Amino acid sequence: MPDPLLPTSDSSSPHVAALGRLGIQRRYRRGALLIQEGDTGDSIYIVLQGRLRAFLSDESGKELTLGIYGEQEYVGEMSLDGGPRSAHVEAVESSLCSVVSRDVLRSYIAEHPDFAFEIMGRLIRRARLATESARSVALIDVYGRLVRLLNGLADPDVDPHSRRRLRERMTHQQMSQHLACSREMVSRLLKDLETGGFIEVIDRWIWLLKPLPPRW
């Protein structure tokens, strides 16, 4: 099962590409809020270019990243039942999306009923990932979650005993949002790993020099 703390990566679907051509294209600058938790909405957003982030936040400003969505992925389907939006969604970078209304989606499903099963499968996967994320936060300490994140972002085709660079350059703040902890905690743990010779940071890219210890 995919790690719930890592960027989402659903396989692309010809239905999603076809549906994207039926929506209204809109461009969003980096940091723009497409969806606000609690609002009502009847559209889904299909990413044509760029990346979106779904997240939760509290009154103090603390955030928890639920997923990162790239090209040919979509967000917003959780509110198609007419209920309120379940999370915020923002543009991680300048992004182009196709906004598809519920009526357009309903008409498309009427013509392509197999797409309904595809959406159901996606909802089931997201529910499972949410369960795993809750279990991880409740039962695994911050260091253990950090190890999972770093190992998951490292190149899977390279021997774990060799030097491996993370596939994505993430700030300490972004990591803390994935791990449900403070940025200061992430900075301290990464500094300890760097001092211990387990990681190296070059031009803000993190390299894993050898297998990370399971406990710290």
Side-chain angles (χ1 to χ4, degrees), residues 6-64:
L6 301 180
T8 303
S9 180
D10 289 345
S11 57
S12 60
S13 161
H15 286 303
V16 174
L19 191 59
R21 291 191 287 271
L22 301 177
I24 300 173
Q25 291 191 9
R26 292 179 181 169
R27 188 170 294 278
Y28 299 92
R29 59 175 175 76
R30 177 184 177 185
L33 198 63
L34 287 69
I35 294 174
Q36 187 163 351
E37 182 183 359
D39 286 352
T40 57
D42 63 352
S43 301
I44 65 171
Y45 296 75
I46 299 175
V47 184
L48 303 180
Q49 298 174 10
R51 291 187 304 163
L52 306 179
R53 179 175 76 105
F55 66 98
L56 300 174
S57 63
D58 61 18
E59 295 180 354
S60 67
K62 184 181 296 183
E63 298 180 357
L64 172 63

